[in-house]
Amino acid sequence: MSNYHIKHLEEYYQVYRKSVRNPEVFWEEIAEEHFLWRKKWDKVLSWDFAKPEIKWFEGAKLNITENCIDRHIYTRGDKTAIIFEPNNPEEATQHISYRELHDRVCRFANVLKDQGVKKGDRVCIYVPMIPELTVAILACARIGAIHSVVFAGFSSKALSTRINDSDCKLVITADGSYRGAKTIDLKGIVDEALESCPGVKTVLVAKRINSAIEMKPNRDYWLQPLLDDAYHDCDPEIMDAEDPLFILYTSGSTGKPKGMVHTIAGYMVYTAYTFKNAFQYREHDVFWCTADIGWITGHSYIVYGPLANGATSVMFEGVPSYPDFGRFWDIVQKHKVNQFYTAPTAIRALAKQGAELVEKYDLSSLKVLGSVGEPINEEAWHWYNDVVGKNKSPIIDTWWQTETGGMMITPIPFVTPTKPTFATLPFIGVQPALMDETGNELKGNQVEGRLCIKFPWPGIARTIWGNHQRYKDTYFSTFENMYFTGDGALRDEVGYYRITGRVDDVIIVSGHNLGTAPIEDAINEHPAVAESAIVGFPHEVKGSALYGYITLKEVGESRMHDNLRKEINQLISDRIGPIAKLDKIQFTSALPKTRSGKIMRRILRKIAERDTSNLGDISTLLNPEVVQEIQERAL
Ligand code: 6R9
């Protein structure tokens, strides 16, 4: 029996048991049978969470693009690998076959080589959702360069921080991008960022919006002419299993983003295997993940997971609201999408528009509906299930993280009975644990605690770029011999997991992880601001929105406050991006603090959530009187 494609619940339990009793044997079988290796491994797994050090398939040699492209050419050369759906529905869709993808990736790889990019070099990719983005990623992988994709909605400051952190020498971008009816001047943002990135020698620019941009001589080059001149074949660089594949930044609880490092073989095996099972993907299916490739969801389930399975993956450039809120359903109908993967924030925004916009379209191709990025609330779950899925397409609520590489807790559709707001059962090979605050594991069912993972899986990130100590401190120091996720969860009476949200200072707004620290840093740059604290509060569409408590250096007149609010949000927009703007700003005379000077976010969170019945013991605060004031003037 092949364990590659699970088809019923009994089989899930069997395979699950096998995968946790003997993980090495289990993953070795998957790796042997379903991938192309230039040399097999010497050892399947070695690990030590105390160091921490994790290695999968050590000694193996491979190139991930041979697995994602070359090997399919013989059996699926003319099959569509990528369906590119442009922002403007009037513009023609592109169908890129595996054969064409091979050609384009090889040409791009040769362009990178000509620019002096070598194995191990870091390349920053700041490109909107156009085919060049996928091609650029795979071209890096082809030659063994480490890609660092930065979401093309981030500001110049956020971009330069990431470029410098991983010391990228080359940046790939576009003249601009389309976002609904708007265009964004990407090249302008790159130019501004590069003023503080002395290490960048070359910028390759894809043409998308035909805007008049400045090209800096000897640094900036239009991509297309170089691609046209490049040779259409490029031998893959033969890589070690544990060589880094990419860096992807995620927010943390300090101002500095964490560059999570994923390595080649384990990430490939894990994303491919989870993709196949969690979506029950079959050969002629069309799969669509609506995420941006700038996030891990896009890396794993637009690019690597689907392509490793020879799948057809839709890549959508636009937004759900353009030209109207029926766009997603229009695309599902047009390309007969079978598996659809999106975020609760999008579901809530679409649900708000009513059912008519969905009912206009033929969605009968849909077989599986996925959700990812944040907890899906009950109302959104039912709307997704009833209105979109017509009660026939199971919803898979998939819990995972940038750090985990692929899905960790998720139903397998048609296999695991679903339950609203529950991510249900651990995926094959995943060993979750719930811990109490004193470090004891909570055994049995009907318990709630902090979500940890006890044993490595192939997709786990191996380190934080340039800061292994921080990797250890963040994930392996809270509980001994455990990977700590930062999330809370409960396990119900049948062993199903429900994620209850972050227990640290990361707030998830519209599915994007935002650390509070960098936002506070930006606010505090305003000359009038003394101090600030950001918390999340429930928001109908975004899931969570941001509430800022700000103390000013001088008590201003209240008519000044509106201007200040605008200036502060502008500052956040410039430093981080519009996604991090505050929905509510309350000016206060002080922030509640512990005696050691730590801001008591717990109290501020409760006030923002309008849940002040139980604020806990505030008598230990340095300034308990301020709590009263904040409560009275809460927004
Ligand atoms: C894939 C991704 C990770 C954090 C994670 C958790 C939240 C993601 C979720 C979910 C509840 C789900 N999260 N999926 N919470 N249910 N199905 O989103 O990665 O951007 O790193 O975010 O997102 O809090 O810890 P990333």
Side-chain angles (χ1 to χ4, degrees):
M1 179 184 71
S2 161
N3 297 321
Y4 197 62
H5 209 178
I6 315 284
K7 293 183 199 66
H8 52 83
L9 194 59
E10 200 39 52
E11 191 183 349
Y12 161 80
Y13 280 114
Q14 267 173 23
V15 176
Y16 181 78
R17 277 195 292 269
K18 181 169 163 189
S19 75
V20 301
R21 278 196 198 135
N22 209 335
E24 281 94 337
V25 172
F26 175 79
W27 288 110
E28 176 160 47
E29 240 175 74
I30 300 286
E32 285 252 32
E33 281 176 32
H34 301 281
F35 301 90
L36 187 68
W37 304 91
R38 289 293 186 114
K39 173 183 172 288
K40 295 270 167 77
W41 43 92
D42 306 315
K43 194 157 192 254
V44 179
L45 169 68
S46 55
W47 68 290
D48 178 353
F49 275 176
K51 274 188 182 169
E53 187 178 88
I54 303 138
K55 291 182 178 160
W56 283 94
F57 311 113
E58 210 182 343
K61 304 258 183 212
L62 76 161
N63 186 291
I64 197 168
T65 67
E66 280 196 304
N67 281 275
C68 289
I69 311 171
D70 302 54
R71 64 168 167 154
H72 303 311
I73 291 179
Y74 309 102
T75 49
R76 311 178 170 102
D78 295 322
K79 180 175 174 178
T80 300
I82 306 281
I83 297 178
F84 172 64
E85 175 65 29
N87 176 66
N88 180 352
E90 310 280 298
E91 193 184 318
T93 301
Q94 291 177 36
H95 290 262
I96 302 169
S97 68
Y98 274 94
R99 203 184 313 282
E100 187 188 344
L101 186 62
H102 182 267
D103 181 291
R104 292 176 69 166
V105 168
C106 285
R107 283 174 192 271
F108 206 133
N110 285 325
V111 168
L112 292 176
K113 277 190 179 170
D114 287 347
Q115 297 298 330
V117 178
K118 295 194 178 55
K119 175 175 172 174
D121 287 350
R122 275 79 59 207
V123 171
C124 175
I125 304 179
Y126 185 72
V127 175
M129 285 286 284
I130 56 177
E132 285 82 351
L133 172 54
T134 303
V135 174
I137 286 173
L138 294 166
C140 288
R142 187 85 177 170
I143 64 169
I146 302 169
H147 57 78
S148 168
V149 179
V150 176
F151 170 58
F154 272 137
S155 70
S156 59
K157 182 76 196 335
L159 176 61
S160 64
T161 308
R162 286 159 178 75
I163 289 172
N164 289 332
D165 183 76
S166 48
D167 196 15
C168 298
K169 306 237 161 10
L170 184 140
V171 177
I172 303 166
T173 189
D175 52 355
S177 64
Y178 292 117
R179 227 186 130 64
K182 285 192 289 196
T183 56
I184 296 169
D185 174 23
L186 283 190
K187 179 60 166 51
I189 297 172
V190 170
D191 288 341
E192 207 179 305
L194 294 191
E195 280 170 23
S196 43
C197 302
V200 173
K201 304 286 177 252
T202 312
V203 180
L204 302 178
V205 188
K207 192 169 260 183
R208 178 58 183 140
I209 66 167
N210 286 309
S211 54
I213 57 165
E214 255 176 63
M215 296 291 277
K216 192 170 164 187
N218 300 320
R219 187 195 72 180
D220 303 349
Y221 303 93
W222 288 108
L223 186 57
Q224 197 55 49
L226 299 179
L227 290 172
D228 291 341
D229 286 347
Y231 188 57
H232 67 268
D233 203 358
C234 170
D235 283 341
E237 186 78 30
I238 305 309
M239 305 295 288
D240 287 330
E242 282 294 340
D243 280 336
L245 174 63
F246 65 85
I247 301 168
L248 186 60
Y249 287 88
T250 185
S251 336
S253 48
T254 72
K256 215 172 166 240
K258 297 177 287 195
M260 303 312 306
V261 177
H262 282 282
T263 58
I264 300 168
Y267 177 81
M268 171 182 80
V269 168
Y270 198 68
T271 52
Y273 185 65
T274 48
F275 173 78
K276 181 83 176 174
N277 284 288
F279 294 111
Q280 290 285 304
Y281 182 85
R282 277 156 217 262
E283 183 62 31
H284 298 292
D285 288 347
V286 174
F287 172 81
W288 181 21
C289 164
T290 72
D292 192 289
I293 291 175
W295 314 114
I296 192 69
T297 305
H299 277 60
S300 300
Y301 300 112
I302 297 178
V303 183
Y304 288 112
L307 298 181
N309 281 286
T312 299
S313 176
V314 177
M315 186 176 174
F316 174 45
E317 183 185 29
V319 293
S321 54
Y322 180 80
D324 63 39
F325 278 95
R327 187 67 192 279
F328 272 8
W329 320 124
D330 181 36
I331 296 173
V332 169
Q333 171 181 287
K334 182 167 170 191
H335 300 300
K336 301 195 169 50
V337 171
N338 301 111
Q339 292 91 358
F340 176 74
Y341 194 29
T342 196
T345 183
I347 299 167
R348 287 189 294 266
L350 294 170
K352 247 182 125 169
Q353 306 298 317
E356 311 81 62
L357 274 167
V358 189
E359 278 149 14
K360 260 174 71 180
Y361 298 94
D362 175 7
L363 305 185
S364 59
S365 59
L366 287 174
K367 294 195 282 195
V368 176
L369 301 174
S371 171
V372 61
E374 55 188 320
I376 179 164
N377 52 304
E378 187 121 18
E379 204 183 327
W381 195 97
H382 285 295
W383 188 85
Y384 202 22
N385 188 61
D386 303 350
V387 179
V388 181
K390 325 276 187 241
N391 282 302
K392 68 169 183 61
S393 305
I395 294 179
I396 55 164
D397 178 1
T398 65
W399 173 84
W400 58 292
Q401 311 176 294
T402 303
E403 295 85 339
T404 69
M407 300 170 194
M408 297 293 282
I409 303 182
T410 177
I412 295 179
F414 309 106
V415 170
T416 320
T418 60
K419 177 173 174 182
T421 77
F422 280 74
T424 74
L425 297 172
F427 189 75
I428 311 294
V430 174
Q431 303 187 34
L434 296 179
M435 308 295 290
D436 72 12
E437 280 170 48
T438 58
N440 296 315
E441 186 176 349
L442 300 159
K443 304 265 176 148
N445 289 340
Q446 290 192 299
V447 289
E448 180 167 357
R450 289 162 191 234
L451 179 60
C452 293
I453 315 289
K454 287 195 233 189
F455 195 90
W457 61 100
I460 186 175
R462 305 296 197 261
T463 189
I464 290 174
W465 185 263
N467 199 343
H468 197 66
Q469 185 62 40
R470 189 172 178 202
Y471 175 68
K472 179 175 176 166
D473 294 345
T474 312
Y475 306 106
F476 299 92
S477 302
T478 316
F479 301 103
E480 208 180 319
N481 262 318
M482 298 263 177
Y483 165 79
F484 174 47
T485 65
D487 284 316
L490 62 82
R491 192 161 51 222
D492 77 358
E493 63 288 353
V494 299
Y496 273 18
Y497 287 85
R498 178 188 189 165
I499 311 303
T500 50
R502 305 288 304 188
V503 294
D504 57 13
D505 284 333
V506 174
I507 303 169
I508 302 192
V509 178
S510 300
H512 302 310
N513 272 15
L514 297 173
T516 52
I519 305 174
E520 291 163 7
D521 291 349
I523 299 170
N524 298 350
E525 278 182 42
H526 193 287
V529 170
E531 207 176 25
S532 61
I534 305 300
V535 298
F537 72 98
H539 186 280
E540 219 189 315
V541 173
K542 302 179 189 179
S544 295
L546 302 176
Y547 193 124
Y549 297 92
I550 297 177
T551 59
L552 297 174
K553 289 183 179 149
E554 280 163 281
V555 182
E557 294 169 49
S558 51
R559 64 189 169 82
M560 295 295 294
H561 284 175
D562 280 340
N563 280 338
L564 273 176
R565 285 191 175 92
K566 281 199 194 106
E567 286 169 20
I568 287 167
N569 265 329
Q570 187 56 47
L571 202 55
I572 297 175
S573 235
D574 293 341
R575 295 290 180 275
I576 297 157
I579 183 83
K581 281 196 204 168
L582 308 182
D583 271 40
K584 293 182 180 178
I585 296 179
Q586 180 179 357
F587 294 101
T588 76
S589 64
L591 298 172
K593 292 200 180 154
T594 63
R595 279 165 213 266
S596 62
K598 287 202 181 65
I599 299 172
M600 288 293 282
R601 287 169 203 280
R602 188 177 50 78
I603 291 171
L604 295 173
R605 209 175 290 136
K606 289 213 164 220
I607 295 174
E609 292 169 358
R610 299 169 186 268
D611 169 23
T612 51
S613 55
N614 173 22
L615 284 182
D617 182 13
I618 59 168
S619 64
T620 56
L621 294 182
L622 196 63
N623 49 356
E625 69 288 348
V626 75
V627 175
Q628 182 74 23
E629 179 217 292
I630 293 178
Q631 254 183 289
E632 281 168 5
R633 303 201 192 145
L635 301 171

